[in-house]
Amino acid sequence: GSTGAHNVNELFKKDIDVLIQKYQIVHQIGTSIYKDFEQLQVYQSDNYYPVKQLLPQEIAFFMQNSDFCITRSGANTFFLLVYYALPCVLIPLPIAPNDEQRKHAQVIASEGAGIIMEESGSPDTLSQVSEKLYVSRTAHKQAYQKLSQYKSLIISGATLLTAITQP
């Protein structure tokens, strides 16, 4: 999100040395009162590119060209993940209204397309969960076929929007 996910950034900071040795990472950090961007910017390298915020077209590019992502699980993210069939580590915001982020994460995880990680109290580190996802990413990507009804909603909604906005 535009203001960042401080607790997710904190999980990342704990494991940054391991993660940037194994993966090439583009990290949307956000802007927050915690100064996460300033703290993580010092790690910038060929394998780690921190940014405050990505533009929508940049998000689409990275979702199309990534092996997996680590993310919250709000509605916009849920539908982007389904649309791009992107394997993911989902870290639901525990205080989301109506527990909507957990519900989205459970839909994806229950079909085998992603893995849920709690922002606190998880027995595994972010790098351990990421490795589990990475080694089985092909199976996770294929699992999105079970979520085709959600992708149909996205496509039909986009078609309807196009029809409404054209003169």
Side-chain angles (χ1 to χ4, degrees), residues 16-90:
I16 191 167
D17 292 325
V18 175
L19 290 163
I20 63 177
Q21 285 179 20
K22 175 130 180 118
Y23 308 105
Q24 288 184 323
I25 300 166
V26 175
H27 184 180
Q28 179 175 269
I29 298 170
T31 56
S32 73
I33 60 171
Y34 302 105
K35 306 288 184 203
D36 290 335
F37 180 77
E38 291 77 6
Q39 293 171 27
L40 287 163
Q41 189 177 21
V42 299
Y43 292 95
Q44 185 168 337
S45 67
D46 290 342
N47 281 354
Y48 180 62
Y49 187 71
V51 294
K52 286 185 180 179
Q53 188 171 4
L54 294 167
L55 298 171
Q57 61 270 30
E58 292 171 322
I59 292 170
F61 173 82
F62 288 117
M63 290 188 121
Q64 288 174 314
N65 294 288
S66 296
D67 289 320
F68 72 97
C69 73
I70 300 166
T71 184
R72 290 285 194 200
S73 48
N76 290 335
T77 301
F78 171 83
F79 283 108
L80 285 169
L81 291 168
V82 170
Y83 184 79
Y84 291 110
L86 185 60
C88 51
V89 174
L90 297 158

Side-chain angles (χ1 to χ4, degrees), residues 34 99 156-157:
Y34 302 105
D99 209 22
S156 64

